[in-house]
Amino acid sequence: MPQASDMFDSAVDNLLAEAGMTESDHLQKTLLTLLTVLMDICECLELCLGHAINKEEERLSSLPHAVSSSVLHVLYCSYTHCSTSDKIYGEQLALVAAPLSTLFKKTHSLQQAFTSLLERPAFCDCSSVNVIEDLTAVCHRLLEISKVVSGMDVRVFASTLKILSNLAVQHAEVLKENLDVAAILSFLCEEIVNTCYHIATLLLQNSQEMSEQSVLLLRQHLKLAVFLLKIVVHFCEIFTNCLSRAAAWLLTLLLSILRFQHEFTLTPDAFIDEIQHHLLVGLKPLLCLLLSDKEFVAQVASVDLVSDSTSVCLLCVTILSLLPASDAKVRDVWMAINDLHGASTSILEILFSSVKHCYMSLVLPVCLHGVTRPGKPPVSVSLYEYTCTNLCGFIACIPSRQFPVLELCLLKHTLSWDAYTACLAIDAWCFVGRYGDSHLCLQHCKLLMELCSTSLPSLTVDPANAALVDFRSYRAVPYINLQQALFRLMKFTTAEQQLQLFEEMAVETHLGLWSCMPVPYLHPDIVHRLKMAALSWLSQTVTALKCVDMVPAQHILNLGEALTVISCLYRQRCGFDELQVLPLVLTVWDLLASSIVGHLFERHILALLIDCSSYLLPVMDNCSLKEVVGLVLTLMPGSADSIKLAAASFLSAFGSKVVSPSAEQMKILAHVAQLFRMLLTDENPMIHQRALEAFSVFAEKTNHEMVVSLCLQEDSTLQQTVVNYLSKISCKSSLSERNFILSHQVETVRGWQSLCVNNLLHPNTSLLGKAAESFRFTEMGHTDIKSAAAVEELIGAVRSSVDQLRGLKACLTDMSRRQLQEAYDKIGALL
């Protein structure tokens, strides 16, 4: 046998030498002769193996181990020669194509004979160390052959892997110490990933209509991927203690399969369901085997969330669905993970972090199979609903000892600036409050109230002249998220618990805090005291504003809080007696018109004032109405978006107002028409859309049809826009509109970045303890945008210099190293 393999190598070497010669008749004969020698050697070995198989069992036990290395060597060299023939022969390939095809067939026939030998019972006697070593060598050689034939012939590739799989699994007990399971799994995972890539490419190239050839090719790839996946699952099931080294590739495999669950949901292709069904069916069995592997857990914790966030999100959701049925130790591992860099995290943290980067998948209608109810057909749900449902299902199963990790995660992401992440955290928090213990819900409400009370708006005062510079024009997103969470959790508290909270956070001193409560669900006594406190604050503030020349900052803050409460109560249909509120609101409008304090009213208070006035329209007389509408009109040029949105709501409510005939009637209606025209022609698409909605409501309800004609007269473009909107005819946004939206978003983000600084939350919270200290935030009053931009530019320059330094590190001298170290030490000292 060794002589046969030597002869084969010699013939191959001669082929390689002759293939580089100039084409001639002699060269063709020489190549054909050498290829015939290779085929004869394969036939000879096959005959020897057939003779060995027919031997008696007792004489067979030692024979296969003597021939295995030679046969496998010939198989490997022959397949390698066939796979690289295009490079070896070049333009001469056409001359030897037929002999090469025959050589490939004879090599495969030799492989089948060798397979038959391996399947004989006598070959399974693993009583000696030498036999075990031979078996290990056979498996490793079969892996090398599989790598060679992977791109040549699917059937040969599948049969080779089948031999390898059967041999390794059959002798797993004796091979597990010597067999390189990680290399086998890594190769199999890589092949499945490549096959999935080919399937995806076929789907994208034939998205409209798939040819018969493409269908056959796609099903061939799919069949191969399923076959390889079964081998991977079988290997992981047998060699459970040898998976750590292949954890990275196994994770890549899982993410590749999960891409088919979301990337092709919008493709109207009949093969999508078939692909998902065959591939995803092996996902959970494989994951169940990997849950207890610490290296796999660390790989999941260190995965790149930006490049494949949706697949990571789906992977986390699948893990959450499997953890309740796992051992307590496995659950503990996933709730306290150390990634590859030593940082601590949890499966919940990874899930929320992945959701943060899933913006496009959350916005697009990515439909997934939701929870199937008995007797009901399966329903497709959005990615958000799918994630939220499975997250809440996991939360319902975790023990109380793991609640600190859950609460810490929910608090952190409730304070997130990302809308979907915060919404998911709030939804999960409300699930805990709804189905958890009532005492737990009460403690959560206390925590949120304390966080909200320590994050209320603040004022910026110029110390030079003690005059008010700026009142915060909007509240930071984390503060709004806390309000939303508190609003929803308060619905689950009992009347007794509400009264307990009310005693601890009295409305007289925390008016702004109680303004974000669900008023219809509150105890009647709390609602009554809230109304009285709001009226008292507003009355006292109005009186103070009329009596002083230099307005203290606290008065403006109190005015904003009082108007906020009044607006919230009206919005929740728990309003005041309008005759009590109207004189106070009109007084505020008078103060706005005066030159004494008018310049102090910033856009937040103006928007609240307009909003409150819209609820008081039914009781306003014409004189008051003329003053209010006139002042709103004067505010429009150059005003902030929040004021324009409030004005649109004001005009929408004006549709139900009947202006009685008087000297002021025509003036009022003319102002209303002018207001509509200004908003309808606003360059901000959001303001324009809201104005169209308000105009539609106004036109439907109003008794003053002349306003409609006054708005649209002498402007054919505006008339067509309104007609299209009322007719529900969609219109494509122009490039200028899209550019405006993008630039507006950029300015908004920069504004938030300049306003967001760290502020101390109350450190003695009754729940989460020190956890709250880790998530400190505030809303800044006024920040110099130019300074913030300069700081960002400086940070960018420093990062750029660090990147350049990394590239020049090898060129640095000792002197330059010391100079750089001194420069960065100075930066550290300044900070």
Side-chain angles (χ1 to χ4, degrees), residues 82-137:
C82 293
S83 66
T84 58
S85 58
D86 56 337
K87 297 180 180 179
I88 295 174
Y89 298 100
E91 296 179 355
Q92 303 167 5
L93 181 61
L95 303 176
V96 295
L100 281 174
S101 178
T102 305
L103 174 63
F104 184 83
K105 294 177 182 178
K106 290 185 177 295
T107 305
H108 182 50
S109 179
L110 174 61
Q111 178 179 323
Q112 290 177 321
F114 184 66
T115 302
S116 300
L117 180 65
L118 294 178
E119 292 174 351
R120 296 299 297 271
F123 194 73
C124 301
D125 183 13
C126 302
S127 56
S128 67
V129 176
N130 292 333
V131 174
I132 295 174
E133 292 178 352
D134 288 341
L135 278 175
T136 304

Side-chain angles (χ1 to χ4, degrees), residues 322-336:
L322 297 176
L323 283 179
S326 304
D327 296 334
K329 292 183 178 179
V330 175
R331 291 197 299 270
D332 291 342
V333 169
W334 283 98
M335 293 298 284

Side-chain angles (χ1 to χ4, degrees), residues 12 31 74 152 190 356 621 717 727 729:
V12 170
L31 294 177
V74 170
M152 297 177 62
E190 184 178 5
K356 183 179 180 180
D621 57 26
T717 303
S727 303
I729 299 176

Side-chain angles (χ1 to χ4, degrees), residues 408-550:
L408 182 64
C409 186
L410 293 181
L411 173 61
K412 174 182 177 181
H413 292 286
T414 298
L415 301 177
S416 173
W417 290 73
D418 179 71
Y420 286 105
T421 306
C423 188
L424 181 63
I426 294 172
D427 284 342
W429 206 334
C430 291
F431 176 82
V432 174
R434 173 65 179 84
Y435 294 99
D437 182 74
S438 60
H439 178 70
L440 178 64
C441 183
L442 174 63
Q443 294 301 319
H444 285 178
C445 288
K446 284 184 178 180
L447 169 66
L448 290 172
M449 293 180 75
E450 291 178 4
L451 295 180
C452 287
S453 64
T454 55
S455 307
L456 288 174
S458 59
L459 295 169
T460 304
V461 177
D462 185 355
N465 54 19
L468 178 64
V469 174
D470 186 27
F471 177 90
R472 179 173 42 228
S473 58
Y474 42 77
R475 291 176 173 175
V477 171
Y479 179 73
I480 297 174
N481 295 341
L482 289 177
Q483 283 185 322
Q484 291 178 352
L486 182 58
F487 181 92
R488 295 175 61 181
L489 282 174
M490 189 61 71
K491 298 178 182 180
F492 307 134
T493 56
T494 63
E496 293 76 12
Q497 290 175 338
Q498 290 178 6
L499 292 173
Q500 179 182 345
L501 293 172
F502 190 77
E503 293 299 326
E504 296 181 10
M505 297 282 188
V507 68
E508 289 78 10
T509 54
H510 298 86
L511 182 61
L513 176 63
W514 286 94
S515 66
C516 63
M517 299 297 182
V519 179
Y521 294 88
L522 294 181
H523 192 277
D525 291 345
I526 298 177
V527 177
H528 176 72
R529 290 180 61 179
L530 181 59
K531 291 181 179 180
M532 294 300 102
L535 285 175
S536 176
W537 276 43
L538 182 58
S539 177
Q540 293 175 12
T541 304
V542 169
T543 302
L545 289 173
K546 291 191 298 184
C547 298
V548 296
D549 293 333
M550 185 63 67

Side-chain angles (χ1 to χ4, degrees), residues 165 168 199 208 378 432 454 456 460 464 493 495 543 570 572 642 697 721 774:
S165 174
I199 294 174
Q208 300 299 325
V432 174
T454 55
L456 288 174
T460 304
T493 56
T543 302
Y570 274 120
Q572 299 185 56
S642 58
V697 174
T721 302
S774 302

